[in-house]
Amino acid sequence: MTTASPLPNTSTPQPSATPTGFQFPPHYSFPPFFTLQPVASTRSSQLASWSTLIQAYCRHNRIFTLSLIDALNTPLFHNAALSRRLSLRDATALLKWMSTSEGGNRAEYIAPPGTSAKKKSGVEDEGGRFWIYWRRPDEWAGALEEWVERTGQKGSVLTFYEIVEGEATMKEEFWGMEGALLMKSLGICVKRGRAQIFGSEGSEGVKFF
């Protein structure tokens, strides 16, 4: 395996857009991009490029979690035109890196129900599920607070359904957000003294101050 840079020269053609209109960056058409390189400096640049691509792809498609086993067969990790795909091992290493401070904490492993506290501290299996933080929970908290301020809803009690599935929020990036991520983000608002959560599971509401 060569240690060529995972970034192509400017003459590398861009692949066509996906059916949803997402346009891949030029290095997606560069075969070595799909194998993590052994040289530390090259690998660091490659990981950063992959992280940027994953965040952009998930943001465009409003994807909040990835199951690596399933995602390996999607255009995100499989360039059919090149007959190249990221291996499960490399994809796991990539998401683990994104979960570190070096990777900007842009991913988080989702431990299966019943997993011990010890195993929850790290990725124990390849092909697991991850949160993809194209906005981290603290950034989502800020976005929610900005939306409440912009729409004049301070002091109102909003249901979780209204926030992530209501017609009034369809143009907001948090529309369609999974409940667990919404709770994580609202929890930060609560810690900041900006909100209070009411109700029981399944019928929660939140009031912003």
Side-chain angles (χ1 to χ4, degrees):
M1 180 65 211
T2 64
T3 57
S5 167
L7 299 179
N9 59 44
T10 55
S11 64
T12 303
Q14 279 191 273
S16 59
T18 65
T20 62
F22 180 76
Q23 189 71 45
F24 286 94
H27 44 271
Y28 182 79
S29 293
F30 193 53
F33 186 58
F34 290 85
T35 302
L36 294 187
Q37 303 294 302
V39 177
S41 59
T42 303
R43 187 185 183 94
S44 178
S45 174
Q46 184 182 21
L47 289 169
S49 295
W50 265 113
S51 177
T52 298
L53 170 57
I54 290 170
Q55 291 176 63
Y57 182 91
C58 289
R59 185 173 195 163
H60 179 85
N61 293 289
R62 290 193 177 183
I63 295 170
F64 297 93
T65 63
L66 279 183
S67 166
L68 288 187
I69 286 290
D70 297 330
L72 289 179
N73 295 317
T74 70
L76 175 58
F77 292 124
H78 179 205
N79 185 329
L82 292 180
S83 296
R84 291 295 183 98
R85 73 172 75 223
L86 202 65
S87 70
L88 177 58
R89 180 180 179 181
D90 283 356
T92 301
L94 168 61
L95 270 292
K96 287 177 69 174
W97 180 83
M98 287 177 63
S99 302
T100 66
S101 56
E102 183 184 1
N105 298 308
R106 289 296 173 182
E108 182 182 349
Y109 177 62
I110 303 173
T115 302
S116 68
K118 182 178 180 180
K119 288 187 176 181
K120 284 183 180 179
S121 64
V123 180
E124 301 294 330
D125 62 322
E126 292 187 345
R129 292 180 66 237
F130 289 80
W131 293 112
I132 302 300
Y133 292 145
W134 35 281
R135 285 183 186 265
R136 291 186 297 266
D138 61 302
E139 294 169 335
W140 281 121
L144 288 163
E145 292 167 3
E146 186 277 330
W147 169 71
V148 168
E149 180 75 33
R150 170 165 41 90
T151 55
Q153 298 189 81
K154 280 188 176 181
S156 302
V157 176
L158 303 165
T159 66
F160 284 16
Y161 178 87
E162 286 178 293
I163 294 173
V164 298
E165 297 187 53
E167 291 185 9
T169 60
M170 288 187 69
K171 294 183 178 180
E172 304 296 333
E173 286 194 321
F174 50 78
W175 191 84
M177 178 186 289
E178 297 183 30
L181 180 54
L182 178 62
M183 183 63 83
K184 277 175 176 279
S185 305
L186 289 175
I188 294 172
C189 296
V190 171
K191 289 181 179 178
R192 292 173 176 172
R194 304 284 182 84
Q196 183 178 356
I197 296 173
F198 302 89
S200 56
E201 185 174 354
S203 60
E204 300 97 332
V206 59
K207 182 177 182 180
F208 286 87
F209 309 118

